[in-house]
Amino acid sequence: MSRQVIAHSPSGSPPGNSRAWLHRFRGLATATPLASLAVAAAALAAWQFLPPLFGVPKYIIPQLSDLWTEGVQMWQDDNLLLHFFSTASMAILGFILGSLLGAVFGYALGLLPSWEKVLSPYILALQIAPKVAFAPLFILWFGYNFLPKLVTTVLVVFFPILVNVLQAMRVLDRDLINLARAYNMSKAKIFWKIMVPYSMPNLMAGLRIGATLAVIGVTVGELVGGETGLGYLISFGQGQADTPMVFDAIILLTVIGIVMYWVVTVIEARVLHYLPRATERPQSA
Amino acid sequence: MSASCDALKVEKVARRFAGRRLGAPEFTAVHDLTFHVADSEFVSIVGPSGCGKSTVLNLVAGLDRPTEGTVSLNGTEVSGPSSNVGFMLQKDMLLPWRTVLENVEFGLEARELSKAERRERAMRELKRCRIVEFADRYPYQISGGQRQRVALARTLAINPNFILLDEPFSALDAQTKLILQKSFAQTIAGSKLTTLLITHDLAEAVAMSDRILVMSQSPGRIVEEIDVQLPDRENPIERMASPRASELVGHLFRALHMEDRLDA
């Protein structure tokens, strides 16, 4: 394939050379996934074979096969599926609620600049405060049920989305609003037809951050209290010195986070289809 | 022309803005501004930067109110945005999330029109502005000149009888500018629109308008009025070839004291 293209370009000329170079570079690009896979295989093999070789005890670093055995046992005896779904559903529910609240507050403050000015120092303070540290407080308030971890997740997701939406509302081009006003457009229409679409790239960026934070929120909520969820399994496994259980729970938490992040990027690609991609150039005609 | 055919009347208008800080002196953007634009006439306003050209635009568009004096369109005082007035800026202000066709429909969405009716009118304007083949493209997929054509189509779609153009060609390269000026001139002459063009390009003012108003330094007012009296308003390129055109440009150049000025 690459050879054909080189043959078509004028031989010996500098552009031909640079094109050949470009092709070698592209060939490298297709090799990247393969290299990534190789790295993964090497790391997994090292995990399986190196710990016994160096005499690392199983409760420090278990072998890969121990994770598998432990996983099967958790599935059979410890109701792993229930824990998994409890965590996944709370992460998703918290993400959705936190996003909705964050977006609503973001738009509301964007529409009411005087309120935003009054509240901005507190928003900043809350944004900086480590939200997960509130989790023990929520247990005191709500007890040992699903609420503390849900509220922690909502709180963690809320801020990046609020801040991102608010940022878009702040930098909104006033001329666009004037244009709509000149067309006699109502305030409600200006909001839905200009402000909301204009803020979409920011909202999607906030959702991406929120999707990864949701898993952290739910995990911390489960770590500090409760009897279900992967976070609970981590703390339980720690108490039993059952290191493979801790590892398995971490892996499953990561899977939940990756799936949520992936769903957001799929939605983002659909919503922001009108943005030029880096590879695409405007067509001149 | 008799006063009865005046589409736009600006009478003794002043617009002052409060100082930035409390106690700071007021800023006077325009002062004692009086001019008329007749029906179907094409009038340009030229002036040094910061002379209050944009203030004039906002006043006529109904986005701002004068501190003193009156602005009236077709005999009624301007008290807010009017659906008879279209306006267009240097920035095309197309909405990136909408296709060309949907952008042209934008202005119509403030009105009670069926979707089919909106679409039909938007398509008609795209044809008139000769960009119908790009109807389904997104703004990033078309060139700067094409985007400005779309902006004109959007302006014309609401069927205005008066249009305000605020330096619509100044962000374009020299060639695109000439082509677009010609295209705009044809479209405007064809629909007998009354037009007020705000520009800093003296040649553009001469090439496109019936009459040119020269504004002074801030606070802005009209210091000179020039009747262009050239044929071929729908063909600016042809028009610029005449000796009178370059004479007028030279005259404007001197009127604005450009040779003495080093600041911009």
Side-chain angles (χ1 to χ4, degrees):
Chain A
M1 177 73 194
S2 65
R3 217 172 253 180
Q4 267 181 337
V5 176
I6 294 164
H8 280 295
S9 68
S11 59
S13 71
N17 281 341
S18 77
R19 198 174 288 180
W21 181 84
L22 205 78
H23 259 267
R24 217 170 295 151
F25 189 75
R26 279 205 195 121
L28 217 119
T30 52
T32 311
L34 285 176
S36 291
L37 275 178
V39 170
L44 291 177
W47 192 348
Q48 174 66 14
F49 299 112
L50 288 187
L53 219 62
F54 289 105
V56 181
K58 273 191 193 295
Y59 65 85
I60 300 290
I61 298 181
Q63 281 179 287
L64 201 56
S65 53
D66 296 331
L67 298 192
W68 177 255
T69 327
E70 178 62 30
V72 172
Q73 206 196 329
M74 282 158 79
W75 175 275
Q76 284 164 351
D77 306 338
D78 298 321
N79 231 337
L80 179 62
L81 203 63
L82 176 86
H83 291 293
F84 178 81
F85 276 114
S86 164
T87 300
S89 57
M90 282 301 129
I92 293 165
L93 188 64
F95 172 67
I96 291 171
L97 288 177
S99 308
L100 279 175
L101 282 173
V104 166
F105 275 80
Y107 288 121
L109 289 177
L111 289 172
L112 302 164
S114 49
W115 277 88
E116 195 233 314
K117 269 184 204 139
V118 172
L119 293 176
S120 67
Y122 310 111
I123 293 171
L124 185 69
L126 276 171
Q127 201 192 332
I128 293 166
K131 265 77 66 186
V132 290
F134 287 85
L137 210 56
F138 296 145
I139 288 177
L140 288 174
W141 291 348
F142 305 118
Y144 284 87
N145 52 38
F146 73 96
L147 265 175
K149 57 181 173 179
L150 184 64
V151 176
T152 310
T153 312
V154 169
L155 195 63
V156 165
V157 172
F158 177 79
F159 281 96
I161 289 158
L162 167 83
V163 170
N164 269 283
V165 169
L166 194 53
Q167 179 62 18
M169 297 288 277
R170 275 198 203 123
V171 301
L172 176 63
D173 189 347
R174 301 315 297 174
D175 284 338
L176 278 179
I177 305 287
N178 272 345
L179 177 81
R181 278 179 59 211
Y183 284 128
N184 266 325
M185 218 166 240
S186 66
K187 286 206 166 125
K189 273 190 177 168
I190 292 178
F191 176 73
W192 289 109
K193 286 177 188 289
I194 302 224
M195 294 178 175
V196 171
Y198 186 88
S199 64
M200 271 305 141
N202 280 54
L203 178 66
M204 295 315 298
L207 289 179
R208 266 209 238 190
I209 301 168
T212 57
L213 290 182
V215 180
I216 297 176
V218 80
T219 307
V220 173
E222 289 171 348
L223 276 174
V224 293
E227 279 139 25
T228 43
L230 296 168
Y232 164 73
L233 288 185
I234 289 177
S235 111
F236 179 79
Q238 181 214 4
Q240 309 281 310
D242 190 346
T243 319
M245 183 185 269
V246 176
F247 270 104
D248 280 338
I250 292 172
I251 290 168
L252 290 175
L253 281 168
T254 311
V255 168
I256 294 172
I258 288 173
V259 170
M260 286 176 67
Y261 187 82
W262 174 76
V263 170
V264 172
T265 53
V266 169
I267 294 171
E268 183 177 334
R270 291 203 146 208
V271 173
L272 303 181
H273 65 94
Y274 57 84
L275 290 182
R277 265 157 269 146
T279 51
E280 214 169 329
R281 294 273 164 104
Q283 290 141 313
S284 52
Chain B
M1 258 177 224
S2 74
S4 61
C5 341
D6 281 341
L8 170 68
K9 264 187 181 178
V10 174
E11 304 260 13
K12 293 192 161 50
V13 161
R15 177 71 177 102
R16 289 185 284 273
F17 295 96
R20 283 262 167 124
R21 272 163 293 134
L22 211 66
E26 283 188 326
F27 169 71
T28 307
V30 294
H31 179 69
D32 195 21
L33 187 74
T34 301
F35 67 90
H36 299 195
V37 179
D39 208 21
S40 309
E41 196 183 17
F42 193 128
V43 173
S44 292
I45 295 184
V46 296
S49 43
C51 70
K53 287 178 287 192
S54 300
T55 305
V56 173
L57 180 109
N58 284 338
L59 290 172
V60 178
L63 294 171
D64 195 7
R65 306 289 307 274
T67 319
E68 273 170 36
T70 54
V71 178
S72 42
L73 277 164
N74 299 314
T76 34
E77 194 174 337
V78 175
S79 58
S82 156
S83 46
N84 296 322
V85 180
F87 92 84
M88 199 180 145
L89 305 181
Q90 175 185 344
K91 291 185 286 180
D92 55 60
M93 303 223 288
L94 299 183
L95 305 174
W97 54 87
R98 287 174 172 238
T99 62
V100 163
L101 182 63
E102 288 163 352
N103 264 292
V104 176
E105 285 178 3
F106 179 73
L108 298 170
E109 286 170 20
R111 301 182 182 185
E112 303 295 322
L113 279 176
S114 73
K115 206 176 153 63
E117 211 172 331
R118 274 208 301 268
R119 188 125 300 189
E120 192 209 307
R121 279 174 73 165
M123 282 308 276
R124 197 180 61 210
E125 293 311 326
L126 285 175
K127 274 185 202 124
R128 185 141 70 123
C129 299
R130 291 167 286 272
I131 31 162
V132 77
E133 65 270 37
F134 301 117
D136 295 322
R137 298 262 186 102
Y138 282 89
Y140 79 92
Q141 294 170 315
I142 60 177
S143 70
Q146 289 159 353
R147 291 171 65 122
Q148 238 8 349
R149 272 178 220 249
V150 177
L152 180 67
R154 181 183 59 192
T155 307
L156 297 179
I158 59 164
N159 233 341
N161 45 37
F162 192 100
I163 57 171
L164 290 162
L165 306 175
D166 187 6
E167 312 201 359
F169 312 109
S170 59
L172 303 171
D173 64 86
Q175 268 183 40
T176 310
K177 192 180 204 171
L178 287 175
I179 295 166
L180 216 59
Q181 281 168 349
K182 185 174 171 183
S183 160
F184 271 44
Q186 280 170 357
T187 309
I188 287 166
S191 39
K192 294 194 163 46
L193 279 162
T194 312
T195 308
L196 183 63
L197 169 71
I198 287 168
T199 181
H200 60 253
D201 183 337
L202 307 179
E204 179 175 294
V206 172
M208 298 192 74
S209 34
D210 297 319
R211 207 146 50 87
I212 300 169
L213 304 172
V214 182
M215 267 178 94
S216 67
Q217 279 278 30
S218 167
R221 57 195 177 81
I222 307 296
V223 288
E224 195 178 347
E225 188 182 327
I226 295 165
D227 226 331
V228 175
Q229 290 181 315
L230 280 169
D232 303 319
R233 202 187 81 185
E234 66 291 336
N235 192 348
I237 298 172
E238 190 95 332
R239 218 179 194 198
M240 283 315 284
S242 81
R244 179 171 160 78
S246 34
E247 216 173 276
L248 281 172
V249 174
H251 175 80
L252 279 171
F253 191 84
R254 283 185 297 278
L256 290 165
H257 307 291
M258 291 225 182
E259 67 272 36
D260 310 329
R261 296 187 57 212
L262 292 167
D263 58 325

